[in-house]
Amino acid sequence: MDWLGDLYPWTKAFHVISVIAWMAGMLYLPRLYVYHAAAEPGSAQSETFKVMERRLLRAIINPAMIAAFIFGGLMLITPDVIDWANAWVWAKAVLVLIMTAMHGLFARWRQEFAEDRNRRSARFYRLVNEIPTLLMVAIVILVVVKPG
Ligand code: HEM
């Protein structure tokens, strides 16, 4: 596993790059839902949002999440990187799971918009929009400050 240790700075760089792309999408997709919820179903505007949402999810958010897990997972099996006795490691794992669950919900809601079945308000999406932001702030503090 020595080669993983040698590659560690690179694995970390590509992990952070993947996470930036994942987060960019996770912060923007619910913002699109805010505007989409206010658009008349069947209108040209609504159809444009559908295309933007599908492309953002398929071309950016899904592949970026997979890459973040691959590079993060490689660091997990790199010798001497993670000490599971530290509480921050577990806290990060829980918050990453919640982020992944939000990703799943966003994908489900995109499907509902695509089929003109959205029943949630713009205000709902405005509130939900804050969740990935809060998760991202907490995760970065955990991994960088490493409290406990
Ligand atoms: C997808 C699942 C994830 C896994 C398996 C994972 C795993 C890891 C591991 C093992 C490290 C190395 C820690 C160290 O060197 O001390 C790391 C670093 C990092 N992770 Fe993640 N991570 C994931 C998701 C995320 C997310 C969602 C964010 C931010 C929103 C994030 C932000 C970071 C940052 C900024 C670093 C670099 C910290 C440093 O400079 O040491 N990770 N990650």
Side-chain angles (χ1 to χ4, degrees), residues 6 8 26 44-45 57 63 70-71 73 82 86 101 105 129-130:
D6 295 340
Y8 169 68
M26 289 293 289
Q45 211 182 19
L57 194 69
I70 290 174
F71 293 116
I82 288 297
N86 293 322
L105 279 179
N129 199 12
E130 305 303 330

Side-chain angles (χ1 to χ4, degrees), residues 1-117:
M1 294 302 233
D2 256 8
W3 61 277
L4 271 178
D6 295 340
L7 279 181
Y8 169 68
W10 288 98
T11 322
K12 185 145 96 173
F14 282 100
H15 177 62
V16 173
I17 292 164
S18 318
V19 160
I20 289 174
W22 187 18
M23 289 306 108
M26 289 293 289
L27 301 182
Y28 190 49
L29 189 58
R31 173 57 47 190
L32 285 176
Y33 294 165
V34 170
Y35 302 132
H36 198 162
E40 192 61 38
S43 63
Q45 211 182 19
S46 169
E47 296 305 308
T48 305
F49 283 130
K50 287 181 189 177
V51 175
M52 292 170 76
E53 290 155 2
R54 190 182 66 239
R55 294 205 178 138
L56 185 61
L57 194 69
R58 300 237 174 110
I60 309 275
I61 309 184
N62 288 347
M65 181 204 62
I66 292 167
F69 267 96
I70 290 174
F71 293 116
L74 281 175
M75 286 191 290
L76 285 182
I77 57 167
T78 303
D80 304 323
V81 168
I82 288 297
D83 179 354
W84 291 95
N86 293 322
W88 70 266
V89 176
W90 293 95
K92 174 177 175 176
V94 169
L95 296 187
V96 167
L97 280 183
I98 299 174
M99 185 78 81
T100 308
M102 292 305 301
H103 182 146
L105 279 179
F106 288 1
R108 186 188 298 176
W109 295 341
R110 189 204 68 77
Q111 194 60 43
E112 291 179 7
F113 271 116
E115 295 165 5
D116 292 323
R117 289 193 292 110

